[in-house]
Amino acid sequence: MVYVAEMNIRHNGKKIAIGEQIPKDMKKEEIERLLSMKAIKDPETEAKAIKEAAAKKAEAAGE
């Protein structure tokens, strides 16, 4: 799964700028902590949520 930085992050002495992908060697605990802080995001999950919201809106408009 690909995560993208939402803010500047420093991991193991390496700087990760906004918009860069998170390295795959990062531990699950570290990823969960960064997700909870909203320092990173998962574009796939975000796109899925947008599609679901659009479907619900279209369904509500159709009723």
Side-chain angles (χ1 to χ4, degrees):
M1 193 172 282
V2 177
Y3 294 98
V4 178
E6 286 291 300
M7 57 180 67
N8 292 322
I9 301 169
R10 179 169 280 201
H11 175 68
N12 289 339
K14 181 183 175 194
K15 292 182 180 179
I16 303 169
I18 297 170
E20 289 185 9
Q21 291 185 359
I22 301 300
K24 295 189 183 276
D25 65 339
M26 193 176 283
K27 294 180 182 177
K28 185 177 180 180
E29 296 84 25
E30 294 170 337
I31 290 174
E32 289 174 358
R33 181 178 58 83
L34 292 170
L35 281 170
S36 69
M37 293 174 20
K38 298 187 180 181
I40 61 175
K41 69 176 181 179
D42 179 13
E44 295 170 5
T45 304
E46 191 172 299
K48 186 177 179 181
I50 290 170
K51 284 181 184 178
E52 289 175 2
K56 285 181 182 180
K57 186 176 179 180
E59 184 180 307
E63 291 181 0

